Amino acid sequence: MVRIASERDAIVADTEAYIAIDWGTTNRRVYLVDRHGAVVDTMSDDRGILSLTPADYPAELAAIRARFGDRHVIAAGMVGSNRGWHDVAYVDAPASLTSLASHAREVADATYIVPGIALRSGTRADVMRGEEVQVLGAIAARIAPADGLFCQPGTHNKWIVAAGGNIVDFATAMTGEIFSLVKAHGILAGMLDGDVADGPAFRDGVRRGLGARDLGVALFEVRAAVLLDIRPAAEAAAFASGILIGADVGARDDLDGRPVHLLASGALAGLYATAIVMAGGDPITLDSHAAFVAGIHAIRKNL
């Protein structure tokens, strides 16, 4: 991004500008945010927590500050997990941006990590880190309602329910991870190297997965269909992906006619949107990056 000198000087002079980091398992995205909450610079890379040890983080932060300026840093995501830099205790649901801000931890000078959210409901437990900032940020920015259902596709897909501007319930599905595992190991290894895209094979898989109570049986059908020349080998990956996403979406019994706010982008967002429509829901795609920044900015103001 090329800026005129006056704009660059204004950014440098903005003492309230800060660095926000969405620090995940495999990737991270860094934003330079001005006092008004506008992003003035950004970068992304593959320096997620799996590529780092706790001893690496001071040098990583120094490199980030060398590029974006010696500013306050606010990070969210898996960086605050027991596999990240510092294990920052979860906030229990229901949770708001205010409660996240009040439990943020200063782990180094002018460097804060936002806690995740824990669900302790009867016999079911769940946790998340990072997704909560996007959901609550989307609500704060008024690009999503204070009461609604959110879906965040990824390696671990999140279904999140908000009420009154708080996160009150959520569930994590290991959909993407299961696909990666069956692609790399076991009887389906070597069969799922084709393209995964919305089309007849994917939609056949979604129909098979919706309401499936025999997911293991459905996945073996991927292999059998190819061996028996019922389905071309090139369609196996799309069919298997459809089965898994269909089973994920179909596990919800509250989608009929309901808006589902998708915090995602790219091909995966489109695949989930297709499955949600096939399940009777109404997908609404939101800008996950804008939602994250809005959430972090609200937390910043409450630190």
PDB file of all heavy atoms in Angstrom, residues 129-160:
ATOM      1  N   ARG A 129     -11.270 -19.925  21.168  1.00  0.00           N
ATOM      2  CA  ARG A 129     -10.376 -18.783  21.280  1.00  0.00           C
ATOM      3  C   ARG A 129     -10.280 -18.105  19.917  1.00  0.00           C
ATOM      4  O   ARG A 129      -9.883 -18.734  18.946  1.00  0.00           O
ATOM      5  CB  ARG A 129      -8.977 -19.220  21.730  1.00  0.00           C
ATOM      6  CG  ARG A 129      -8.893 -19.681  23.177  1.00  0.00           C
ATOM      7  CD  ARG A 129      -7.450 -19.885  23.596  1.00  0.00           C
ATOM      8  NE  ARG A 129      -7.323 -20.450  24.931  1.00  0.00           N
ATOM      9  CZ  ARG A 129      -7.296 -19.743  26.058  1.00  0.00           C
ATOM     10  NH1 ARG A 129      -7.405 -18.426  25.988  1.00  0.00           N
ATOM     11  NH2 ARG A 129      -7.173 -20.333  27.233  1.00  0.00           N
ATOM     12  N   GLY A 130     -10.671 -16.850  19.869  1.00  0.00           N
ATOM     13  CA  GLY A 130     -10.578 -16.058  18.644  1.00  0.00           C
ATOM     14  C   GLY A 130     -11.921 -15.857  17.969  1.00  0.00           C
ATOM     15  O   GLY A 130     -12.253 -14.749  17.537  1.00  0.00           O
ATOM     16  N   GLU A 131     -12.699 -16.930  17.860  1.00  0.00           N
ATOM     17  CA  GLU A 131     -14.003 -16.818  17.184  1.00  0.00           C
ATOM     18  C   GLU A 131     -14.934 -15.855  17.908  1.00  0.00           C
ATOM     19  O   GLU A 131     -15.747 -15.169  17.287  1.00  0.00           O
ATOM     20  CB  GLU A 131     -14.665 -18.190  17.067  1.00  0.00           C
ATOM     21  CG  GLU A 131     -13.910 -19.195  16.204  1.00  0.00           C
ATOM     22  CD  GLU A 131     -12.925 -20.041  16.996  1.00  0.00           C
ATOM     23  OE1 GLU A 131     -12.718 -19.746  18.198  1.00  0.00           O
ATOM     24  OE2 GLU A 131     -12.372 -20.994  16.410  1.00  0.00           O
ATOM     25  N   GLU A 132     -14.817 -15.819  19.241  1.00  0.00           N
ATOM     26  CA  GLU A 132     -15.706 -14.965  20.029  1.00  0.00           C
ATOM     27  C   GLU A 132     -15.491 -13.486  19.696  1.00  0.00           C
ATOM     28  O   GLU A 132     -16.445 -12.698  19.699  1.00  0.00           O
ATOM     29  CB  GLU A 132     -15.492 -15.212  21.530  1.00  0.00           C
ATOM     30  CG  GLU A 132     -14.164 -14.745  22.111  1.00  0.00           C
ATOM     31  CD  GLU A 132     -12.970 -15.589  21.709  1.00  0.00           C
ATOM     32  OE1 GLU A 132     -13.162 -16.764  21.311  1.00  0.00           O
ATOM     33  OE2 GLU A 132     -11.841 -15.072  21.776  1.00  0.00           O
ATOM     34  N   VAL A 133     -14.253 -13.107  19.376  1.00  0.00           N
ATOM     35  CA  VAL A 133     -13.981 -11.708  19.033  1.00  0.00           C
ATOM     36  C   VAL A 133     -14.696 -11.344  17.737  1.00  0.00           C
ATOM     37  O   VAL A 133     -15.257 -10.250  17.601  1.00  0.00           O
ATOM     38  CB  VAL A 133     -12.463 -11.466  18.921  1.00  0.00           C
ATOM     39  CG1 VAL A 133     -12.174 -10.034  18.469  1.00  0.00           C
ATOM     40  CG2 VAL A 133     -11.774 -11.741  20.245  1.00  0.00           C
ATOM     41  N   GLN A 134     -14.697 -12.264  16.768  1.00  0.00           N
ATOM     42  CA  GLN A 134     -15.380 -12.011  15.501  1.00  0.00           C
ATOM     43  C   GLN A 134     -16.889 -11.876  15.692  1.00  0.00           C
ATOM     44  O   GLN A 134     -17.511 -10.940  15.161  1.00  0.00           O
ATOM     45  CB  GLN A 134     -15.091 -13.134  14.511  1.00  0.00           C
ATOM     46  CG  GLN A 134     -13.660 -13.202  14.043  1.00  0.00           C
ATOM     47  CD  GLN A 134     -13.449 -14.285  13.002  1.00  0.00           C
ATOM     48  OE1 GLN A 134     -14.398 -14.813  12.432  1.00  0.00           O
ATOM     49  NE2 GLN A 134     -12.198 -14.623  12.754  1.00  0.00           N
ATOM     50  N   VAL A 135     -17.485 -12.795  16.429  1.00  0.00           N
ATOM     51  CA  VAL A 135     -18.941 -12.756  16.622  1.00  0.00           C
ATOM     52  C   VAL A 135     -19.360 -11.485  17.351  1.00  0.00           C
ATOM     53  O   VAL A 135     -20.260 -10.750  16.904  1.00  0.00           O
ATOM     54  CB  VAL A 135     -19.417 -14.005  17.383  1.00  0.00           C
ATOM     55  CG1 VAL A 135     -20.869 -13.844  17.831  1.00  0.00           C
ATOM     56  CG2 VAL A 135     -19.272 -15.242  16.516  1.00  0.00           C
ATOM     57  N   LEU A 136     -18.730 -11.219  18.483  1.00  0.00           N
ATOM     58  CA  LEU A 136     -19.101 -10.034  19.254  1.00  0.00           C
ATOM     59  C   LEU A 136     -18.731  -8.751  18.514  1.00  0.00           C
ATOM     60  O   LEU A 136     -19.420  -7.732  18.645  1.00  0.00           O
ATOM     61  CB  LEU A 136     -18.440 -10.085  20.625  1.00  0.00           C
ATOM     62  CG  LEU A 136     -18.914 -11.247  21.524  1.00  0.00           C
ATOM     63  CD1 LEU A 136     -18.068 -11.332  22.783  1.00  0.00           C
ATOM     64  CD2 LEU A 136     -20.391 -11.100  21.874  1.00  0.00           C
ATOM     65  N   GLY A 137     -17.669  -8.806  17.704  1.00  0.00           N
ATOM     66  CA  GLY A 137     -17.312  -7.655  16.892  1.00  0.00           C
ATOM     67  C   GLY A 137     -18.332  -7.377  15.807  1.00  0.00           C
ATOM     68  O   GLY A 137     -18.663  -6.221  15.531  1.00  0.00           O
ATOM     69  N   ALA A 138     -18.844  -8.437  15.181  1.00  0.00           N
ATOM     70  CA  ALA A 138     -19.882  -8.264  14.160  1.00  0.00           C
ATOM     71  C   ALA A 138     -21.130  -7.625  14.763  1.00  0.00           C
ATOM     72  O   ALA A 138     -21.777  -6.773  14.143  1.00  0.00           O
ATOM     73  CB  ALA A 138     -20.231  -9.613  13.531  1.00  0.00           C
ATOM     74  N   ILE A 139     -21.449  -8.022  15.996  1.00  0.00           N
ATOM     75  CA  ILE A 139     -22.599  -7.425  16.674  1.00  0.00           C
ATOM     76  C   ILE A 139     -22.314  -5.965  17.012  1.00  0.00           C
ATOM     77  O   ILE A 139     -23.149  -5.085  16.790  1.00  0.00           O
ATOM     78  CB  ILE A 139     -22.954  -8.236  17.937  1.00  0.00           C
ATOM     79  CG1 ILE A 139     -23.436  -9.634  17.551  1.00  0.00           C
ATOM     80  CG2 ILE A 139     -24.009  -7.514  18.762  1.00  0.00           C
ATOM     81  CD1 ILE A 139     -23.578 -10.592  18.717  1.00  0.00           C
ATOM     82  N   ALA A 140     -21.101  -5.699  17.541  1.00  0.00           N
ATOM     83  CA  ALA A 140     -20.742  -4.330  17.908  1.00  0.00           C
ATOM     84  C   ALA A 140     -20.739  -3.405  16.698  1.00  0.00           C
ATOM     85  O   ALA A 140     -21.115  -2.229  16.798  1.00  0.00           O
ATOM     86  CB  ALA A 140     -19.371  -4.312  18.588  1.00  0.00           C
ATOM     87  N   ALA A 141     -20.323  -3.932  15.539  1.00  0.00           N
ATOM     88  CA  ALA A 141     -20.273  -3.128  14.312  1.00  0.00           C
ATOM     89  C   ALA A 141     -21.628  -3.036  13.623  1.00  0.00           C
ATOM     90  O   ALA A 141     -21.750  -2.389  12.587  1.00  0.00           O
ATOM     91  CB  ALA A 141     -19.246  -3.727  13.358  1.00  0.00           C
ATOM     92  N   ARG A 142     -22.606  -3.725  14.176  1.00  0.00           N
ATOM     93  CA  ARG A 142     -23.973  -3.733  13.645  1.00  0.00           C
ATOM     94  C   ARG A 142     -24.063  -4.305  12.242  1.00  0.00           C
ATOM     95  O   ARG A 142     -24.914  -3.915  11.444  1.00  0.00           O
ATOM     96  CB  ARG A 142     -24.583  -2.317  13.698  1.00  0.00           C
ATOM     97  CG  ARG A 142     -24.692  -1.781  15.121  1.00  0.00           C
ATOM     98  CD  ARG A 142     -25.391  -0.444  15.174  1.00  0.00           C
ATOM     99  NE  ARG A 142     -25.488   0.028  16.552  1.00  0.00           N
ATOM    100  CZ  ARG A 142     -26.045   1.178  16.930  1.00  0.00           C
ATOM    101  NH1 ARG A 142     -26.547   1.988  16.003  1.00  0.00           N
ATOM    102  NH2 ARG A 142     -26.094   1.519  18.201  1.00  0.00           N
ATOM    103  N   ILE A 143     -23.159  -5.248  11.950  1.00  0.00           N
ATOM    104  CA  ILE A 143     -23.307  -5.987  10.701  1.00  0.00           C
ATOM    105  C   ILE A 143     -23.983  -7.324  10.957  1.00  0.00           C
ATOM    106  O   ILE A 143     -24.210  -8.106  10.030  1.00  0.00           O
ATOM    107  CB  ILE A 143     -21.944  -6.199  10.005  1.00  0.00           C
ATOM    108  CG1 ILE A 143     -20.965  -6.977  10.894  1.00  0.00           C
ATOM    109  CG2 ILE A 143     -21.343  -4.872   9.593  1.00  0.00           C
ATOM    110  CD1 ILE A 143     -19.654  -7.311  10.203  1.00  0.00           C
ATOM    111  N   ALA A 144     -24.315  -7.582  12.229  1.00  0.00           N
ATOM    112  CA  ALA A 144     -25.068  -8.761  12.618  1.00  0.00           C
ATOM    113  C   ALA A 144     -25.940  -8.378  13.803  1.00  0.00           C
ATOM    114  O   ALA A 144     -25.607  -7.468  14.568  1.00  0.00           O
ATOM    115  CB  ALA A 144     -24.132  -9.911  12.994  1.00  0.00           C
ATOM    116  N   PRO A 145     -27.058  -9.064  13.996  1.00  0.00           N
ATOM    117  CA  PRO A 145     -27.961  -8.725  15.096  1.00  0.00           C
ATOM    118  C   PRO A 145     -27.432  -9.206  16.446  1.00  0.00           C
ATOM    119  O   PRO A 145     -26.573 -10.090  16.516  1.00  0.00           O
ATOM    120  CB  PRO A 145     -29.253  -9.453  14.719  1.00  0.00           C
ATOM    121  CG  PRO A 145     -28.792 -10.639  13.933  1.00  0.00           C
ATOM    122  CD  PRO A 145     -27.589 -10.153  13.151  1.00  0.00           C
ATOM    123  N   ALA A 146     -27.963  -8.635  17.506  1.00  0.00           N
ATOM    124  CA  ALA A 146     -27.559  -9.025  18.861  1.00  0.00           C
ATOM    125  C   ALA A 146     -28.068 -10.403  19.243  1.00  0.00           C
ATOM    126  O   ALA A 146     -27.551 -11.020  20.177  1.00  0.00           O
ATOM    127  CB  ALA A 146     -28.051  -7.986  19.871  1.00  0.00           C
ATOM    128  N   ASP A 147     -29.095 -10.861  18.539  1.00  0.00           N
ATOM    129  CA  ASP A 147     -29.641 -12.198  18.770  1.00  0.00           C
ATOM    130  C   ASP A 147     -29.549 -12.961  17.458  1.00  0.00           C
ATOM    131  O   ASP A 147     -30.164 -12.549  16.465  1.00  0.00           O
ATOM    132  CB  ASP A 147     -31.113 -12.128  19.217  1.00  0.00           C
ATOM    133  CG  ASP A 147     -31.290 -11.275  20.463  1.00  0.00           C
ATOM    134  OD1 ASP A 147     -30.958 -11.747  21.552  1.00  0.00           O
ATOM    135  OD2 ASP A 147     -31.760 -10.125  20.321  1.00  0.00           O
ATOM    136  N   GLY A 148     -28.799 -14.048  17.438  1.00  0.00           N
ATOM    137  CA  GLY A 148     -28.687 -14.778  16.175  1.00  0.00           C
ATOM    138  C   GLY A 148     -27.786 -15.986  16.273  1.00  0.00           C
ATOM    139  O   GLY A 148     -27.122 -16.233  17.287  1.00  0.00           O
ATOM    140  N   LEU A 149     -27.757 -16.730  15.173  1.00  0.00           N
ATOM    141  CA  LEU A 149     -26.927 -17.919  15.046  1.00  0.00           C
ATOM    142  C   LEU A 149     -25.778 -17.614  14.095  1.00  0.00           C
ATOM    143  O   LEU A 149     -25.990 -17.090  12.997  1.00  0.00           O
ATOM    144  CB  LEU A 149     -27.753 -19.091  14.507  1.00  0.00           C
ATOM    145  CG  LEU A 149     -27.001 -20.394  14.220  1.00  0.00           C
ATOM    146  CD1 LEU A 149     -26.410 -20.976  15.503  1.00  0.00           C
ATOM    147  CD2 LEU A 149     -27.927 -21.407  13.543  1.00  0.00           C
ATOM    148  N   PHE A 150     -24.573 -17.961  14.516  1.00  0.00           N
ATOM    149  CA  PHE A 150     -23.372 -17.719  13.723  1.00  0.00           C
ATOM    150  C   PHE A 150     -22.695 -19.047  13.409  1.00  0.00           C
ATOM    151  O   PHE A 150     -22.721 -19.979  14.210  1.00  0.00           O
ATOM    152  CB  PHE A 150     -22.391 -16.830  14.485  1.00  0.00           C
ATOM    153  CG  PHE A 150     -22.891 -15.437  14.735  1.00  0.00           C
ATOM    154  CD1 PHE A 150     -23.804 -15.188  15.750  1.00  0.00           C
ATOM    155  CD2 PHE A 150     -22.463 -14.380  13.958  1.00  0.00           C
ATOM    156  CE1 PHE A 150     -24.276 -13.911  15.988  1.00  0.00           C
ATOM    157  CE2 PHE A 150     -22.925 -13.095  14.174  1.00  0.00           C
ATOM    158  CZ  PHE A 150     -23.840 -12.856  15.197  1.00  0.00           C
ATOM    159  N   CYS A 151     -22.085 -19.115  12.231  1.00  0.00           N
ATOM    160  CA  CYS A 151     -21.327 -20.292  11.815  1.00  0.00           C
ATOM    161  C   CYS A 151     -19.965 -19.815  11.333  1.00  0.00           C
ATOM    162  O   CYS A 151     -19.876 -18.884  10.526  1.00  0.00           O
ATOM    163  CB  CYS A 151     -22.068 -21.027  10.695  1.00  0.00           C
ATOM    164  SG  CYS A 151     -21.198 -22.473  10.029  1.00  0.00           S
ATOM    165  N   GLN A 152     -18.902 -20.453  11.852  1.00  0.00           N
ATOM    166  CA  GLN A 152     -17.533 -20.070  11.486  1.00  0.00           C
ATOM    167  C   GLN A 152     -16.784 -21.291  10.977  1.00  0.00           C
ATOM    168  O   GLN A 152     -16.108 -21.988  11.732  1.00  0.00           O
ATOM    169  CB  GLN A 152     -16.829 -19.444  12.690  1.00  0.00           C
ATOM    170  CG  GLN A 152     -17.420 -18.089  13.066  1.00  0.00           C
ATOM    171  CD  GLN A 152     -16.910 -17.596  14.402  1.00  0.00           C
ATOM    172  OE1 GLN A 152     -17.306 -18.078  15.441  1.00  0.00           O
ATOM    173  NE2 GLN A 152     -16.025 -16.611  14.374  1.00  0.00           N
ATOM    174  N   PRO A 153     -16.905 -21.584   9.677  1.00  0.00           N
ATOM    175  CA  PRO A 153     -16.248 -22.760   9.098  1.00  0.00           C
ATOM    176  C   PRO A 153     -14.735 -22.688   9.221  1.00  0.00           C
ATOM    177  O   PRO A 153     -14.141 -21.619   9.180  1.00  0.00           O
ATOM    178  CB  PRO A 153     -16.686 -22.724   7.632  1.00  0.00           C
ATOM    179  CG  PRO A 153     -17.929 -21.892   7.616  1.00  0.00           C
ATOM    180  CD  PRO A 153     -17.727 -20.875   8.685  1.00  0.00           C
ATOM    181  N   GLY A 154     -14.144 -23.843   9.340  1.00  0.00           N
ATOM    182  CA  GLY A 154     -12.694 -23.945   9.434  1.00  0.00           C
ATOM    183  C   GLY A 154     -12.318 -25.357   9.821  1.00  0.00           C
ATOM    184  O   GLY A 154     -13.144 -26.275   9.731  1.00  0.00           O
ATOM    185  N   THR A 155     -11.096 -25.531  10.261  1.00  0.00           N
ATOM    186  CA  THR A 155     -10.671 -26.856  10.715  1.00  0.00           C
ATOM    187  C   THR A 155     -11.620 -27.368  11.783  1.00  0.00           C
ATOM    188  O   THR A 155     -12.030 -28.535  11.769  1.00  0.00           O
ATOM    189  CB  THR A 155      -9.238 -26.786  11.273  1.00  0.00           C
ATOM    190  OG1 THR A 155      -8.377 -26.288  10.251  1.00  0.00           O
ATOM    191  CG2 THR A 155      -8.759 -28.162  11.705  1.00  0.00           C
ATOM    192  N   HIS A 156     -11.964 -26.490  12.722  1.00  0.00           N
ATOM    193  CA  HIS A 156     -12.961 -26.791  13.743  1.00  0.00           C
ATOM    194  C   HIS A 156     -14.091 -25.781  13.576  1.00  0.00           C
ATOM    195  O   HIS A 156     -13.964 -24.626  13.972  1.00  0.00           O
ATOM    196  CB  HIS A 156     -12.357 -26.703  15.142  1.00  0.00           C
ATOM    197  CG  HIS A 156     -11.258 -27.688  15.380  1.00  0.00           C
ATOM    198  ND1 HIS A 156     -10.224 -27.460  16.255  1.00  0.00           N
ATOM    199  CD2 HIS A 156     -11.042 -28.910  14.846  1.00  0.00           C
ATOM    200  CE1 HIS A 156      -9.408 -28.503  16.258  1.00  0.00           C
ATOM    201  NE2 HIS A 156      -9.885 -29.391  15.397  1.00  0.00           N
ATOM    202  N   ASN A 157     -15.182 -26.200  12.970  1.00  0.00           N
ATOM    203  CA  ASN A 157     -16.299 -25.298  12.716  1.00  0.00           C
ATOM    204  C   ASN A 157     -17.011 -24.969  14.023  1.00  0.00           C
ATOM    205  O   ASN A 157     -17.231 -25.826  14.866  1.00  0.00           O
ATOM    206  CB  ASN A 157     -17.283 -25.950  11.741  1.00  0.00           C
ATOM    207  CG  ASN A 157     -18.463 -25.057  11.452  1.00  0.00           C
ATOM    208  OD1 ASN A 157     -18.310 -23.849  11.271  1.00  0.00           O
ATOM    209  ND2 ASN A 157     -19.669 -25.623  11.436  1.00  0.00           N
ATOM    210  N   LYS A 158     -17.355 -23.687  14.166  1.00  0.00           N
ATOM    211  CA  LYS A 158     -18.074 -23.231  15.352  1.00  0.00           C
ATOM    212  C   LYS A 158     -19.497 -22.834  14.999  1.00  0.00           C
ATOM    213  O   LYS A 158     -19.737 -22.110  14.024  1.00  0.00           O
ATOM    214  CB  LYS A 158     -17.376 -22.013  15.977  1.00  0.00           C
ATOM    215  CG  LYS A 158     -15.944 -22.235  16.425  1.00  0.00           C
ATOM    216  CD  LYS A 158     -15.844 -23.082  17.672  1.00  0.00           C
ATOM    217  CE  LYS A 158     -14.409 -23.159  18.166  1.00  0.00           C
ATOM    218  NZ  LYS A 158     -14.250 -24.021  19.348  1.00  0.00           N
ATOM    219  N   TRP A 159     -20.430 -23.296  15.801  1.00  0.00           N
ATOM    220  CA  TRP A 159     -21.810 -22.823  15.783  1.00  0.00           C
ATOM    221  C   TRP A 159     -22.014 -22.029  17.068  1.00  0.00           C
ATOM    222  O   TRP A 159     -21.839 -22.569  18.165  1.00  0.00           O
ATOM    223  CB  TRP A 159     -22.795 -23.977  15.733  1.00  0.00           C
ATOM    224  CG  TRP A 159     -22.716 -24.809  14.492  1.00  0.00           C
ATOM    225  CD1 TRP A 159     -22.009 -25.952  14.309  1.00  0.00           C
ATOM    226  CD2 TRP A 159     -23.389 -24.553  13.258  1.00  0.00           C
ATOM    227  NE1 TRP A 159     -22.185 -26.434  13.039  1.00  0.00           N
ATOM    228  CE2 TRP A 159     -23.034 -25.600  12.366  1.00  0.00           C
ATOM    229  CE3 TRP A 159     -24.259 -23.549  12.814  1.00  0.00           C
ATOM    230  CZ2 TRP A 159     -23.529 -25.662  11.056  1.00  0.00           C
ATOM    231  CZ3 TRP A 159     -24.740 -23.623  11.511  1.00  0.00           C
ATOM    232  CH2 TRP A 159     -24.375 -24.664  10.653  1.00  0.00           C
ATOM    233  N   ILE A 160     -22.353 -20.750  16.941  1.00  0.00           N
ATOM    234  CA  ILE A 160     -22.404 -19.866  18.103  1.00  0.00           C
ATOM    235  C   ILE A 160     -23.765 -19.174  18.155  1.00  0.00           C
ATOM    236  O   ILE A 160     -24.241 -18.634  17.160  1.00  0.00           O
ATOM    237  CB  ILE A 160     -21.284 -18.815  18.046  1.00  0.00           C
ATOM    238  CG1 ILE A 160     -19.912 -19.516  18.025  1.00  0.00           C
ATOM    239  CG2 ILE A 160     -21.373 -17.841  19.212  1.00  0.00           C
ATOM    240  CD1 ILE A 160     -18.746 -18.588  17.821  1.00  0.00           C
TER     241      ILE A 160
END
